[in-house]
Amino acid sequence: MTNKKIRNDKLLIRALNGEITERVPFWFMRQAGRYLPEYMKLREKAGSFLDLAYNSEFATEVTLQPLKRFNMDAAILFSDILVIPHALGQELAFRKGEGPVLTPVNNIMTLDALSMDGMHDHLSPVYQTISNLSKKLPTEVTLIGFAGAPWTVATYMVGGRGSKDQAETRLMAYQDRETFSKLIDLLINSTSEYLIKQVDHGAEALQIFDSWSGSLPADEFITWCVEPVQKIIENIRRVYPNIPIIGFPKGAGAKLKNYIKKTKVTAVSIDTSMSTSWVRSTIQPLCTVQGNLDPLLLVSGGVALEKAVYHILDHLKDGGHVFNLGHGIIPQTPTENVKLVSDIILNYRR
Ligand code: 1CP
């Protein structure tokens, strides 16, 4: 595998690497999606969400849609964290109004039926989307690749669907530790290869989403969230030592400090619950932070929204900062509010 040079002069990459940039770069988690009428149109045309995600031509267009309206500093590959279990052989469907549905992998028999053999063939449309994007994106825009962290992906694999408390998966981790470890190891290996391939094809930064890391007790958080992500990052850095990697252990709270030290992420995404003054004093000295506007403020709009945006910009201006939300954009979000926030950030000077 060739060790390609990663461009490091783009605004977002400089900010991720700790530079206090002249302007704060920004993008929004789930910036391509149902709040955009042009997304709904293409999704309709594709049929299902998975048909959209696995159609490179459509996925390329969907990735570019938000940039045409709002001039973000990054495009995030349009795909989903659940393409990994799918590529390993687990059945997956997205049903209307129900979210993802998978045939549960919750014992050694169902786990042993999975394999990495056909994985990259299955994922080739995703790699094609990245190649397309790296040719089409404006030169100043950064292309972000992503994957789910092993714990979060495992919660869907074991439970067979999304859940509020991830109870089934926590139970499996307690009751059948050996099988659960084997599942996590499979996810560490497949996710490492997947992310390396994304960089091979043109991803310039990576984000690892651990959306459900907040449901684990402290010791289990180390075992199932910190250590697996640490191993993935070691594997990636062996091939790409300089690729910026953003970790997002949502709900980690005060455990975030140790997460940063152990995993050696380049930057962390911070969720809505974290106060900017705590982030400024405790997290920003360790690495660049990304966040953390409440997605509901983007739905609400008005004075409350403007105030919150300036509050975040003012509080985090003296350290590495990438403006983002504390979680993904909500489908009901008015596009005018996204435009308003984008314009404030584009005009703000530190
Ligand atoms: O059109 C539709 O109805 C499908 C909605 C949708 C979209 C737009 C899903 C189903 N996935 C996606 C795309 C997606 N998913 C991206 C694209 C890039 C972007 O613009 O940001 C990303 C980064 C994801 C990541 C993802 N998928 C996460 C991690 C981030 C997070 O939101 O916490 C998770 C947990 C998923 C699972 C998933 N996929 C889709 C849904 C509805 C869900 C969540 C289900 C649940 O709440 O448990």
Side-chain angles (χ1 to χ4, degrees):
M1 212 172 287
T2 53
N3 194 346
K4 185 168 56 145
K5 202 164 181 302
I6 308 290
R7 264 188 69 176
N8 59 7
D9 58 342
K10 298 190 181 186
L11 190 72
L12 183 89
I13 303 279
R14 287 196 281 126
L16 290 175
N17 285 327
E19 198 177 313
I20 299 175
T21 49
E22 58 283 10
R23 173 172 74 68
V24 177
F26 76 105
W27 64 282
F28 300 117
M29 287 189 259
R30 295 273 178 105
Q31 63 190 23
R34 282 182 289 172
Y35 75 108
L36 290 175
E38 57 271 34
Y39 169 84
M40 292 311 290
K41 218 169 136 187
L42 215 54
R43 191 181 181 296
E44 194 75 21
K45 201 166 149 191
S48 72
F49 170 72
L50 279 178
D51 290 328
L52 181 61
Y54 290 132
N55 180 323
S56 311
E57 202 184 309
F58 284 0
T60 303
E61 196 178 330
V62 167
T63 307
L64 296 170
Q65 282 173 345
L67 281 108
K68 290 180 183 152
R69 284 178 180 253
F70 312 113
N71 291 306
M72 288 94 170
D73 294 289
I76 180 158
L77 162 72
F78 187 81
S79 179
D80 195 76
I81 62 168
L82 299 178
V83 297
I84 283 290
H86 202 207
L88 295 172
Q90 188 170 14
E91 274 177 54
L92 167 70
F94 284 86
R95 302 212 188 110
K96 262 210 167 88
E98 228 188 301
V101 183
L102 303 94
T103 312
V105 168
N106 50 14
N107 54 37
I108 193 67
M109 213 178 73
T110 44
L111 175 59
D112 281 345
L114 302 182
S115 147
M116 282 171 62
D117 289 350
M119 178 180 116
H120 294 303
D121 275 346
H122 179 102
L123 294 167
S124 63
V126 179
Y127 304 140
Q128 184 60 49
T129 304
I130 297 175
S131 300
N132 294 351
L133 285 165
S134 65
K135 286 185 206 104
K136 284 197 169 175
L137 276 176
T139 51
E140 67 281 7
V141 175
T142 298
L143 178 55
I144 302 177
F146 75 93
W151 165 254
T152 288
V153 175
T155 66
Y156 291 94
M157 295 178 78
V158 172
R161 61 195 139 66
S163 71
K164 275 200 169 44
D165 55 7
Q166 299 77 51
E168 284 167 76
T169 314
R170 280 152 62 206
L171 262 182
M172 183 179 173
Y174 298 143
Q175 292 179 332
D176 188 359
R177 209 168 175 86
E178 203 182 321
T179 308
F180 191 68
S181 279
K182 207 172 160 193
L183 169 60
I184 293 292
D185 284 343
L186 175 65
L187 287 169
I188 292 170
N189 294 335
S190 51
T191 305
S192 300
E193 284 195 14
Y194 178 50
L195 289 172
I196 289 168
K197 283 258 189 234
Q198 291 190 27
V199 184
D200 290 342
H201 286 82
E204 299 165 297
L206 299 170
Q207 176 147 331
I208 301 175
F209 288 90
D210 216 345
S211 307
W212 302 120
S213 66
S215 63
L216 285 171
D219 290 352
E220 302 289 313
F221 174 79
I222 305 269
T223 309
W224 306 123
C225 295
V226 175
E227 288 172 3
V229 170
Q230 181 184 348
K231 286 180 188 153
I232 290 171
I233 293 181
E234 281 167 9
N235 290 339
I236 297 169
R237 295 246 170 93
R238 229 170 273 134
V239 186
Y240 291 112
N242 299 320
I243 185 86
I245 302 174
I246 310 159
F248 185 25
K250 187 170 167 282
K255 302 195 288 295
L256 194 55
K257 261 177 86 171
N258 187 43
Y259 175 93
I260 295 165
K261 285 184 187 152
K262 288 260 167 61
T263 60
K264 302 198 166 59
V265 284
T266 317
V268 280
S269 217
I270 49 178
D271 63 56
T272 306
S273 71
M274 295 195 184
S275 89
T276 46
S277 49
W278 184 80
V279 168
R280 177 171 60 183
S281 61
T282 314
I283 303 301
Q284 248 181 346
L286 303 176
C287 70
T288 290
V289 300
Q290 175 177 274
N292 69 340
L293 184 75
D294 184 353
L296 266 179
L297 277 163
L298 209 54
V299 175
S300 119
V303 182
L305 172 62
E306 282 192 45
K307 238 180 95 181
V309 172
Y310 281 112
H311 177 89
I312 292 168
L313 288 167
D314 289 343
H315 269 223
L316 300 177
K317 71 178 176 3
D318 298 324
H321 182 212
V322 173
F323 194 97
N324 205 314
L325 304 177
H327 201 191
I329 290 192
I330 294 165
Q332 294 75 28
T333 303
T335 55
E336 312 82 91
N337 292 347
V338 182
K339 177 84 172 96
L340 174 78
V341 173
S342 306
D343 288 344
I344 292 175
I345 301 166
L346 286 166
N347 289 307
Y348 182 87
R349 289 294 174 274
R350 289 166 137 144

PDB file of all heavy atoms in Angstrom, residues 101-126:
ATOM      1  N   VAL A 101     -32.943  -2.173  10.646  1.00  0.00           N
ATOM      2  CA  VAL A 101     -33.354  -3.474  11.188  1.00  0.00           C
ATOM      3  C   VAL A 101     -32.344  -4.515  10.718  1.00  0.00           C
ATOM      4  O   VAL A 101     -32.066  -4.628   9.521  1.00  0.00           O
ATOM      5  CB  VAL A 101     -34.769  -3.876  10.683  1.00  0.00           C
ATOM      6  CG1 VAL A 101     -35.209  -5.195  11.303  1.00  0.00           C
ATOM      7  CG2 VAL A 101     -35.777  -2.786  10.993  1.00  0.00           C
ATOM      8  N   LEU A 102     -31.749  -5.261  11.665  1.00  0.00           N
ATOM      9  CA  LEU A 102     -30.744  -6.269  11.331  1.00  0.00           C
ATOM     10  C   LEU A 102     -31.130  -7.607  11.954  1.00  0.00           C
ATOM     11  O   LEU A 102     -31.827  -7.638  12.969  1.00  0.00           O
ATOM     12  CB  LEU A 102     -29.362  -5.873  11.882  1.00  0.00           C
ATOM     13  CG  LEU A 102     -28.788  -4.519  11.460  1.00  0.00           C
ATOM     14  CD1 LEU A 102     -29.113  -3.437  12.473  1.00  0.00           C
ATOM     15  CD2 LEU A 102     -27.272  -4.612  11.275  1.00  0.00           C
ATOM     16  N   THR A 103     -30.684  -8.702  11.334  1.00  0.00           N
ATOM     17  CA  THR A 103     -30.888 -10.014  11.938  1.00  0.00           C
ATOM     18  C   THR A 103     -29.842 -10.158  13.037  1.00  0.00           C
ATOM     19  O   THR A 103     -28.639 -10.141  12.752  1.00  0.00           O
ATOM     20  CB  THR A 103     -30.692 -11.125  10.884  1.00  0.00           C
ATOM     21  OG1 THR A 103     -31.427 -10.756   9.737  1.00  0.00           O
ATOM     22  CG2 THR A 103     -31.162 -12.468  11.396  1.00  0.00           C
ATOM     23  N   PRO A 104     -30.257 -10.265  14.317  1.00  0.00           N
ATOM     24  CA  PRO A 104     -29.298 -10.154  15.419  1.00  0.00           C
ATOM     25  C   PRO A 104     -28.124 -11.133  15.360  1.00  0.00           C
ATOM     26  O   PRO A 104     -28.286 -12.299  15.008  1.00  0.00           O
ATOM     27  CB  PRO A 104     -30.154 -10.429  16.658  1.00  0.00           C
ATOM     28  CG  PRO A 104     -31.521 -10.043  16.260  1.00  0.00           C
ATOM     29  CD  PRO A 104     -31.646 -10.384  14.805  1.00  0.00           C
ATOM     30  N   VAL A 105     -26.957 -10.606  15.710  1.00  0.00           N
ATOM     31  CA  VAL A 105     -25.761 -11.435  15.904  1.00  0.00           C
ATOM     32  C   VAL A 105     -25.494 -11.387  17.394  1.00  0.00           C
ATOM     33  O   VAL A 105     -24.984 -10.391  17.910  1.00  0.00           O
ATOM     34  CB  VAL A 105     -24.568 -10.857  15.108  1.00  0.00           C
ATOM     35  CG1 VAL A 105     -23.258 -11.524  15.512  1.00  0.00           C
ATOM     36  CG2 VAL A 105     -24.787 -11.010  13.607  1.00  0.00           C
ATOM     37  N   ASN A 106     -25.926 -12.438  18.105  1.00  0.00           N
ATOM     38  CA  ASN A 106     -25.846 -12.380  19.564  1.00  0.00           C
ATOM     39  C   ASN A 106     -25.365 -13.681  20.195  1.00  0.00           C
ATOM     40  O   ASN A 106     -25.541 -13.911  21.375  1.00  0.00           O
ATOM     41  CB  ASN A 106     -27.199 -11.964  20.152  1.00  0.00           C
ATOM     42  CG  ASN A 106     -28.328 -12.797  19.589  1.00  0.00           C
ATOM     43  OD1 ASN A 106     -28.077 -13.839  18.970  1.00  0.00           O
ATOM     44  ND2 ASN A 106     -29.560 -12.361  19.795  1.00  0.00           N
ATOM     45  N   ASN A 107     -24.770 -14.553  19.380  1.00  0.00           N
ATOM     46  CA  ASN A 107     -24.165 -15.775  19.929  1.00  0.00           C
ATOM     47  C   ASN A 107     -23.051 -16.221  18.984  1.00  0.00           C
ATOM     48  O   ASN A 107     -22.870 -15.635  17.910  1.00  0.00           O
ATOM     49  CB  ASN A 107     -25.216 -16.880  20.104  1.00  0.00           C
ATOM     50  CG  ASN A 107     -25.971 -17.138  18.817  1.00  0.00           C
ATOM     51  OD1 ASN A 107     -25.398 -17.086  17.714  1.00  0.00           O
ATOM     52  ND2 ASN A 107     -27.261 -17.404  18.926  1.00  0.00           N
ATOM     53  N   ILE A 108     -22.318 -17.240  19.386  1.00  0.00           N
ATOM     54  CA  ILE A 108     -21.131 -17.633  18.628  1.00  0.00           C
ATOM     55  C   ILE A 108     -21.494 -18.142  17.219  1.00  0.00           C
ATOM     56  O   ILE A 108     -20.752 -17.900  16.257  1.00  0.00           O
ATOM     57  CB  ILE A 108     -20.267 -18.667  19.424  1.00  0.00           C
ATOM     58  CG1 ILE A 108     -18.893 -18.833  18.789  1.00  0.00           C
ATOM     59  CG2 ILE A 108     -20.963 -19.988  19.604  1.00  0.00           C
ATOM     60  CD1 ILE A 108     -18.001 -17.616  18.881  1.00  0.00           C
ATOM     61  N   MET A 109     -22.666 -18.762  17.106  1.00  0.00           N
ATOM     62  CA  MET A 109     -23.062 -19.301  15.802  1.00  0.00           C
ATOM     63  C   MET A 109     -23.312 -18.179  14.780  1.00  0.00           C
ATOM     64  O   MET A 109     -22.784 -18.209  13.672  1.00  0.00           O
ATOM     65  CB  MET A 109     -24.328 -20.126  15.975  1.00  0.00           C
ATOM     66  CG  MET A 109     -24.423 -21.296  15.043  1.00  0.00           C
ATOM     67  SD  MET A 109     -25.935 -22.198  15.398  1.00  0.00           S
ATOM     68  CE  MET A 109     -27.152 -21.060  14.730  1.00  0.00           C
ATOM     69  N   THR A 110     -24.097 -17.197  15.208  1.00  0.00           N
ATOM     70  CA  THR A 110     -24.398 -16.083  14.293  1.00  0.00           C
ATOM     71  C   THR A 110     -23.144 -15.236  14.040  1.00  0.00           C
ATOM     72  O   THR A 110     -22.961 -14.690  12.955  1.00  0.00           O
ATOM     73  CB  THR A 110     -25.545 -15.201  14.846  1.00  0.00           C
ATOM     74  OG1 THR A 110     -25.336 -14.974  16.232  1.00  0.00           O
ATOM     75  CG2 THR A 110     -26.888 -15.848  14.629  1.00  0.00           C
ATOM     76  N   LEU A 111     -22.255 -15.165  15.034  1.00  0.00           N
ATOM     77  CA  LEU A 111     -21.013 -14.402  14.846  1.00  0.00           C
ATOM     78  C   LEU A 111     -20.099 -15.115  13.859  1.00  0.00           C
ATOM     79  O   LEU A 111     -19.516 -14.481  12.964  1.00  0.00           O
ATOM     80  CB  LEU A 111     -20.312 -14.192  16.190  1.00  0.00           C
ATOM     81  CG  LEU A 111     -18.940 -13.510  16.121  1.00  0.00           C
ATOM     82  CD1 LEU A 111     -19.033 -12.120  15.481  1.00  0.00           C
ATOM     83  CD2 LEU A 111     -18.315 -13.376  17.514  1.00  0.00           C
ATOM     84  N   ASP A 112     -19.976 -16.449  14.012  1.00  0.00           N
ATOM     85  CA  ASP A 112     -19.077 -17.200  13.131  1.00  0.00           C
ATOM     86  C   ASP A 112     -19.557 -17.228  11.680  1.00  0.00           C
ATOM     87  O   ASP A 112     -18.782 -17.537  10.772  1.00  0.00           O
ATOM     88  CB  ASP A 112     -18.867 -18.627  13.662  1.00  0.00           C
ATOM     89  CG  ASP A 112     -17.857 -18.643  14.818  1.00  0.00           C
ATOM     90  OD1 ASP A 112     -17.148 -17.621  14.991  1.00  0.00           O
ATOM     91  OD2 ASP A 112     -17.786 -19.647  15.547  1.00  0.00           O
ATOM     92  N   ALA A 113     -20.818 -16.882  11.464  1.00  0.00           N
ATOM     93  CA  ALA A 113     -21.328 -16.833  10.079  1.00  0.00           C
ATOM     94  C   ALA A 113     -20.835 -15.573   9.350  1.00  0.00           C
ATOM     95  O   ALA A 113     -20.915 -15.484   8.127  1.00  0.00           O
ATOM     96  CB  ALA A 113     -22.853 -16.871  10.098  1.00  0.00           C
ATOM     97  N   LEU A 114     -20.317 -14.613  10.101  1.00  0.00           N
ATOM     98  CA  LEU A 114     -19.829 -13.373   9.464  1.00  0.00           C
ATOM     99  C   LEU A 114     -18.386 -13.555   8.997  1.00  0.00           C
ATOM    100  O   LEU A 114     -17.633 -14.332   9.577  1.00  0.00           O
ATOM    101  CB  LEU A 114     -19.898 -12.196  10.442  1.00  0.00           C
ATOM    102  CG  LEU A 114     -21.262 -11.855  11.034  1.00  0.00           C
ATOM    103  CD1 LEU A 114     -21.149 -10.637  11.944  1.00  0.00           C
ATOM    104  CD2 LEU A 114     -22.302 -11.603   9.944  1.00  0.00           C
ATOM    105  N   SER A 115     -18.010 -12.804   7.968  1.00  0.00           N
ATOM    106  CA  SER A 115     -16.639 -12.925   7.475  1.00  0.00           C
ATOM    107  C   SER A 115     -16.199 -11.661   6.744  1.00  0.00           C
ATOM    108  O   SER A 115     -17.007 -10.961   6.124  1.00  0.00           O
ATOM    109  CB  SER A 115     -16.584 -14.128   6.523  1.00  0.00           C
ATOM    110  OG  SER A 115     -15.648 -13.908   5.501  1.00  0.00           O
ATOM    111  N   MET A 116     -14.896 -11.390   6.818  1.00  0.00           N
ATOM    112  CA  MET A 116     -14.353 -10.223   6.118  1.00  0.00           C
ATOM    113  C   MET A 116     -14.006 -10.533   4.655  1.00  0.00           C
ATOM    114  O   MET A 116     -13.580  -9.621   3.930  1.00  0.00           O
ATOM    115  CB  MET A 116     -13.086  -9.709   6.837  1.00  0.00           C
ATOM    116  CG  MET A 116     -13.395  -8.893   8.087  1.00  0.00           C
ATOM    117  SD  MET A 116     -11.931  -8.489   9.079  1.00  0.00           S
ATOM    118  CE  MET A 116     -10.957  -7.494   7.941  1.00  0.00           C
ATOM    119  N   ASP A 117     -14.239 -11.777   4.225  1.00  0.00           N
ATOM    120  CA  ASP A 117     -13.798 -12.185   2.876  1.00  0.00           C
ATOM    121  C   ASP A 117     -14.326 -11.298   1.743  1.00  0.00           C
ATOM    122  O   ASP A 117     -13.576 -10.882   0.876  1.00  0.00           O
ATOM    123  CB  ASP A 117     -14.184 -13.645   2.594  1.00  0.00           C
ATOM    124  CG  ASP A 117     -13.338 -14.594   3.434  1.00  0.00           C
ATOM    125  OD1 ASP A 117     -12.365 -14.119   4.053  1.00  0.00           O
ATOM    126  OD2 ASP A 117     -13.690 -15.798   3.489  1.00  0.00           O
ATOM    127  N   GLY A 118     -15.633 -11.051   1.746  1.00  0.00           N
ATOM    128  CA  GLY A 118     -16.197 -10.300   0.623  1.00  0.00           C
ATOM    129  C   GLY A 118     -16.382  -8.821   0.929  1.00  0.00           C
ATOM    130  O   GLY A 118     -17.019  -8.075   0.166  1.00  0.00           O
ATOM    131  N   MET A 119     -15.802  -8.399   2.052  1.00  0.00           N
ATOM    132  CA  MET A 119     -16.096  -7.070   2.575  1.00  0.00           C
ATOM    133  C   MET A 119     -15.763  -5.926   1.604  1.00  0.00           C
ATOM    134  O   MET A 119     -16.600  -5.064   1.339  1.00  0.00           O
ATOM    135  CB  MET A 119     -15.305  -6.914   3.881  1.00  0.00           C
ATOM    136  CG  MET A 119     -15.445  -5.613   4.546  1.00  0.00           C
ATOM    137  SD  MET A 119     -14.459  -5.585   6.069  1.00  0.00           S
ATOM    138  CE  MET A 119     -13.303  -4.330   5.653  1.00  0.00           C
ATOM    139  N   HIS A 120     -14.543  -5.951   1.075  1.00  0.00           N
ATOM    140  CA  HIS A 120     -14.153  -4.809   0.239  1.00  0.00           C
ATOM    141  C   HIS A 120     -14.909  -4.777  -1.091  1.00  0.00           C
ATOM    142  O   HIS A 120     -15.185  -3.700  -1.625  1.00  0.00           O
ATOM    143  CB  HIS A 120     -12.637  -4.775   0.038  1.00  0.00           C
ATOM    144  CG  HIS A 120     -11.899  -4.508   1.315  1.00  0.00           C
ATOM    145  ND1 HIS A 120     -12.124  -3.383   2.082  1.00  0.00           N
ATOM    146  CD2 HIS A 120     -10.972  -5.236   2.003  1.00  0.00           C
ATOM    147  CE1 HIS A 120     -11.365  -3.424   3.178  1.00  0.00           C
ATOM    148  NE2 HIS A 120     -10.661  -4.542   3.140  1.00  0.00           N
ATOM    149  N   ASP A 121     -15.265  -5.966  -1.606  1.00  0.00           N
ATOM    150  CA  ASP A 121     -16.109  -5.994  -2.815  1.00  0.00           C
ATOM    151  C   ASP A 121     -17.448  -5.345  -2.525  1.00  0.00           C
ATOM    152  O   ASP A 121     -17.946  -4.523  -3.294  1.00  0.00           O
ATOM    153  CB  ASP A 121     -16.370  -7.450  -3.256  1.00  0.00           C
ATOM    154  CG  ASP A 121     -15.244  -7.957  -4.124  1.00  0.00           C
ATOM    155  OD1 ASP A 121     -14.441  -7.114  -4.576  1.00  0.00           O
ATOM    156  OD2 ASP A 121     -15.161  -9.185  -4.326  1.00  0.00           O
ATOM    157  N   HIS A 122     -18.020  -5.736  -1.387  1.00  0.00           N
ATOM    158  CA  HIS A 122     -19.313  -5.175  -0.994  1.00  0.00           C
ATOM    159  C   HIS A 122     -19.226  -3.652  -0.850  1.00  0.00           C
ATOM    160  O   HIS A 122     -20.170  -2.935  -1.209  1.00  0.00           O
ATOM    161  CB  HIS A 122     -19.754  -5.810   0.333  1.00  0.00           C
ATOM    162  CG  HIS A 122     -21.061  -5.305   0.846  1.00  0.00           C
ATOM    163  ND1 HIS A 122     -22.245  -5.999   0.722  1.00  0.00           N
ATOM    164  CD2 HIS A 122     -21.382  -4.137   1.478  1.00  0.00           C
ATOM    165  CE1 HIS A 122     -23.223  -5.282   1.254  1.00  0.00           C
ATOM    166  NE2 HIS A 122     -22.731  -4.156   1.726  1.00  0.00           N
ATOM    167  N   LEU A 123     -18.101  -3.179  -0.330  1.00  0.00           N
ATOM    168  CA  LEU A 123     -17.954  -1.749  -0.043  1.00  0.00           C
ATOM    169  C   LEU A 123     -17.416  -0.954  -1.229  1.00  0.00           C
ATOM    170  O   LEU A 123     -17.239   0.270  -1.122  1.00  0.00           O
ATOM    171  CB  LEU A 123     -17.037  -1.556   1.172  1.00  0.00           C
ATOM    172  CG  LEU A 123     -17.610  -2.093   2.495  1.00  0.00           C
ATOM    173  CD1 LEU A 123     -16.537  -2.155   3.566  1.00  0.00           C
ATOM    174  CD2 LEU A 123     -18.782  -1.230   2.974  1.00  0.00           C
ATOM    175  N   SER A 124     -17.186  -1.625  -2.362  1.00  0.00           N
ATOM    176  CA  SER A 124     -16.564  -0.905  -3.488  1.00  0.00           C
ATOM    177  C   SER A 124     -17.365   0.319  -3.957  1.00  0.00           C
ATOM    178  O   SER A 124     -16.760   1.324  -4.325  1.00  0.00           O
ATOM    179  CB  SER A 124     -16.234  -1.859  -4.645  1.00  0.00           C
ATOM    180  OG  SER A 124     -17.409  -2.406  -5.142  1.00  0.00           O
ATOM    181  N   PRO A 125     -18.724   0.297  -3.904  1.00  0.00           N
ATOM    182  CA  PRO A 125     -19.422   1.546  -4.275  1.00  0.00           C
ATOM    183  C   PRO A 125     -19.083   2.711  -3.348  1.00  0.00           C
ATOM    184  O   PRO A 125     -19.048   3.866  -3.786  1.00  0.00           O
ATOM    185  CB  PRO A 125     -20.915   1.183  -4.143  1.00  0.00           C
ATOM    186  CG  PRO A 125     -20.988  -0.289  -4.089  1.00  0.00           C
ATOM    187  CD  PRO A 125     -19.674  -0.793  -3.586  1.00  0.00           C
ATOM    188  N   VAL A 126     -18.833   2.418  -2.069  1.00  0.00           N
ATOM    189  CA  VAL A 126     -18.473   3.481  -1.123  1.00  0.00           C
ATOM    190  C   VAL A 126     -17.102   4.050  -1.505  1.00  0.00           C
ATOM    191  O   VAL A 126     -16.902   5.274  -1.529  1.00  0.00           O
ATOM    192  CB  VAL A 126     -18.452   2.949   0.339  1.00  0.00           C
ATOM    193  CG1 VAL A 126     -18.064   4.061   1.309  1.00  0.00           C
ATOM    194  CG2 VAL A 126     -19.804   2.359   0.715  1.00  0.00           C
TER     195      VAL A 126
END
